[in-house]
Amino acid sequence: LLGMQSATHRELHGITPLHRGARSVGLRQSRAQAQTAQGSVDSRPILVAGVSDETSLKLVDALLQRSIQTRALVLSTDTNFVQELQQRASTTALLQVVEGDACVYGSVLEAMQGCR
């Protein structure tokens, strides 16, 4: 099940995957422990593709509350969400808004550049 969870889910909940052969001492680590284990914080943004509903906006908000660099891919014709995200981006340097279509390979590929 852990392998099926998204990187974003694991990041939000501080879950680190176990390596093969490792004992299940506990999957959850504090953010500080995870950062120490990795050596440094990954400053590349997490991509939230297809921001088009309240659930995806809540995900963006949750990432920003945890001071995680976030890039939101939003459909350019969805003006309500574009305006909402641009307003949020104007108040923090942690959010980048990219207009494109999550169903178009080129849009997703461009939005993913530099992301985790």
Side-chain angles (χ1 to χ4, degrees):
L1 178 63
L2 183 60
M4 294 170 41
Q5 294 173 338
S6 69
T8 303
H9 178 82
R10 290 191 304 264
E11 176 73 27
L12 286 174
H13 296 287
I15 299 171
T16 57
L18 293 176
H19 300 290
R20 290 180 188 233
R23 288 195 172 170
S24 178
V25 176
L27 294 177
R28 295 185 183 268
Q29 291 182 338
S30 71
R31 187 168 173 84
Q33 288 171 325
Q35 291 171 359
T36 303
Q38 296 171 359
S40 65
V41 178
D42 191 345
S43 63
R44 295 175 297 163
I46 290 179
L47 176 64
V48 180
V51 178
S52 61
D53 60 12
E54 291 302 316
T55 302
S56 52
L57 284 176
K58 287 180 181 181
L59 174 59
V60 169
D61 288 339
L63 291 167
L64 295 175
Q65 287 174 356
R66 288 165 178 78
S67 299
I68 297 172
Q69 287 281 350
T70 306
R71 184 174 298 160
L73 176 62
V74 61
L75 192 60
S76 56
T77 58
D78 197 347
T79 56
N80 290 337
F81 284 99
V82 171
Q83 290 173 352
E84 179 72 28
L85 287 167
Q86 287 175 342
Q87 180 182 10
R88 292 175 191 201
S90 69
T91 63
T92 179
L94 293 172
L95 178 61
Q96 302 168 354
V97 179
V98 178
E99 294 182 31
D101 189 341
C103 295
V104 175
Y105 178 76
S107 289
V108 175
L109 188 63
E110 183 178 328
M112 287 177 53
Q113 295 299 313
C115 289
R116 306 183 203 193

